[in-house]
Amino acid sequence: MATTEFTVEDLKRILLQGAGAAEGVDLDGDILDTDFEDLGYESLALLETGSRIERELGISLDETELSEARTPRQLIALVNGSLVTADAA
């Protein structure tokens, strides 16, 4: 699937589909620089999120970089970097 940009809205949708939302967490707030753990998402949920992103966008994310993405902003940048690389190939 060709897309030009992966957004925070895309990420929220995939997080909710894969792991739901933790009680008391407002994903509609300013979450870009909030640590995933503070949002209620642990490493297993993020691995599932990464897998869903890969399947949906037809890209491959580096597992080390994925595990190092601590905030939505970092994960979105990783995905968008992979989209640019995939478009250039």
Side-chain angles (χ1 to χ4, degrees):
M1 174 179 164
T3 188
T4 56
E5 181 181 23
F6 186 76
T7 68
V8 69
E9 295 305 319
D10 296 322
L11 178 58
K12 288 178 194 179
R13 177 181 48 78
I14 291 172
L15 283 169
L16 289 171
Q17 289 172 347
E23 189 173 321
V25 172
D26 180 15
L27 290 181
D28 290 325
D30 184 13
I31 64 165
L32 281 174
D33 295 311
T34 304
D35 194 283
F36 280 114
E37 286 188 17
D38 293 336
L39 294 172
Y41 297 103
E42 296 181 2
S43 59
L44 188 57
L46 293 176
L47 287 175
E48 172 63 21
T49 298
S51 294
R52 286 174 177 267
I53 291 169
E54 288 176 332
R55 286 192 304 271
E56 185 172 310
L57 300 178
I59 60 173
S60 180
L61 299 173
D62 181 272
E63 287 184 35
T64 301
E65 290 178 347
L66 179 60
S67 68
E68 291 173 351
R70 305 297 303 156
T71 66
R73 184 182 308 275
Q74 292 171 340
L75 180 54
I76 291 166
L78 173 63
V79 172
N80 283 323
S82 295
L83 286 170
V84 169
T85 302
D87 286 343

